[in-house]
Amino acid sequence: MAEQRRRTAGSRPVARRRAPVRRRRDHTRWLVPLLAVTVGAVVLAPQLTPVLVDLTATEAPVVQAPAAPARAPVEAPVLAEAQGVGTLADVAATRAEAATRADVATDGGLVVPQPPRPGRISIVPNASIGRAPVYELRPDGCGGAGTTPRRIVPGVVPGPGSATLDWMSDNRPEVVGYRVQAVSQRLVGGEQPPPVVRAVAQVEGCQPMTVTIDGLAPGEPYVFWFEEQVTSASTGVTRLVQVGTTGAVVIG
């Protein structure tokens, strides 16, 4: 029997004892109660706040602010009057009313600040403000030298079948001559007749110049084109520049 026990004990392996397993502490168990308390506080806080405010308001004495002295009405500015203000009394009444509302509120005796408001100004459209400037014609220089671009309008004196033009010469060095064309204003069928042309040479300095154009039809209106022959200083090319035209003149 002893041998069998030894064989049996020797045939089976000896089981090792396992070390006891330490259980980890569950740190999340306190989260659920904490969340419940927080939700309850959030829900109940708005309901308890008005009660506390009412109790505090009833216990505290109500202090009324002293009434501010009424401010004197301010006259409307000169600019507002110039832009079409109806009357100065309207502006003063509006500002006095705004100052009264801004003094003290009726509920609770609390001072209610009021933003500044402009006066009531009615602007009349298309209203003329100020005085219109007075323009004076500057005396024309010699041959239109004071204008840019050049503007020379010759005077015209009609005669029997002719017209005499006069102007002041342009004393610029690039002007070498003038050309005058008489253009008839009476239309005819087909091609129109060519204008009557006269050329005049330049004179030295600023002097009065005249030219007479003959061969015009009596009783017909003519417009005279006045041109200058100008030589370019950079290219040396001479070209005709129209500097003036006259009104229609009836030939005698």
Side-chain angles (χ1 to χ4, degrees):
M1 294 295 292
E3 293 178 0
Q4 290 180 357
R5 290 178 179 175
R6 291 176 181 175
R7 291 176 181 176
T8 304
S11 61
R12 294 181 180 178
V14 180
R16 297 180 180 179
R17 294 182 180 181
R18 297 180 180 178
V21 179
R22 295 182 180 179
R23 295 182 179 178
R24 297 180 181 179
R25 295 182 180 180
D26 191 0
H27 298 284
T28 60
R29 291 180 298 175
W30 54 273
L31 289 178
V32 176
L34 180 60
L35 291 176
V37 173
T38 304
V39 172
V42 172
V43 174
L44 295 178
Q47 300 179 2
L48 296 177
T49 302
V51 178
L52 297 176
V53 173
D54 293 341
L55 293 176
T56 306
T58 54
E59 293 178 359
V62 178
V63 179
Q64 295 183 356
R71 291 177 291 182
V74 183
E75 296 184 358
V78 179
L79 179 60
E81 183 179 2
Q83 292 181 348
V85 175
T87 58
L88 297 178
D90 295 340
V91 178
T94 303
R95 295 185 177 180
E97 183 180 357
T100 304
R101 289 197 305 266
D103 290 339
V104 178
T106 57
D107 298 338
L110 300 178
V111 178
V112 179
Q114 296 292 332
R117 296 181 175 86
R120 184 174 58 187
I121 300 175
S122 58
I123 300 177
V124 181
N126 301 328
S128 58
I129 300 175
R131 294 182 302 175
V134 179
Y135 296 100
E136 296 182 0
L137 293 177
R138 185 174 56 183
D140 191 13
C142 182
T147 59
T148 303
R150 292 293 186 271
R151 178 66 177 171
I152 303 176
V153 180
V156 183
V157 178
S162 64
T164 302
L165 283 75
D166 63 290
W167 69 93
M168 294 295 295
S169 63
D170 191 350
N171 60 349
R172 292 182 298 162
E174 59 266 25
V175 178
V176 296
Y178 307 92
R179 187 176 75 169
V180 181
Q181 302 184 64
V183 183
S184 176
Q185 301 300 296
R186 189 181 300 278
L187 299 178
V188 297
E191 184 177 359
Q192 303 300 316
V196 181
V197 181
R198 293 290 184 273
V200 182
Q202 174 68 303
V203 296
E204 184 178 357
C206 182
Q207 301 180 16
M209 301 185 65
T210 59
V211 63
T212 300
I213 303 178
D214 300 326
L216 304 180
E220 291 189 4
Y222 284 84
V223 171
F224 297 90
W225 295 352
F226 188 76
E227 299 169 307
E228 286 185 341
Q229 294 180 355
V230 181
T231 301
S232 175
S234 58
T235 61
V237 178
T238 302
R239 60 190 181 94
L240 291 169
V241 180
Q242 184 173 355
V243 294
T245 58
T246 66
V249 178
V250 180
I251 303 303

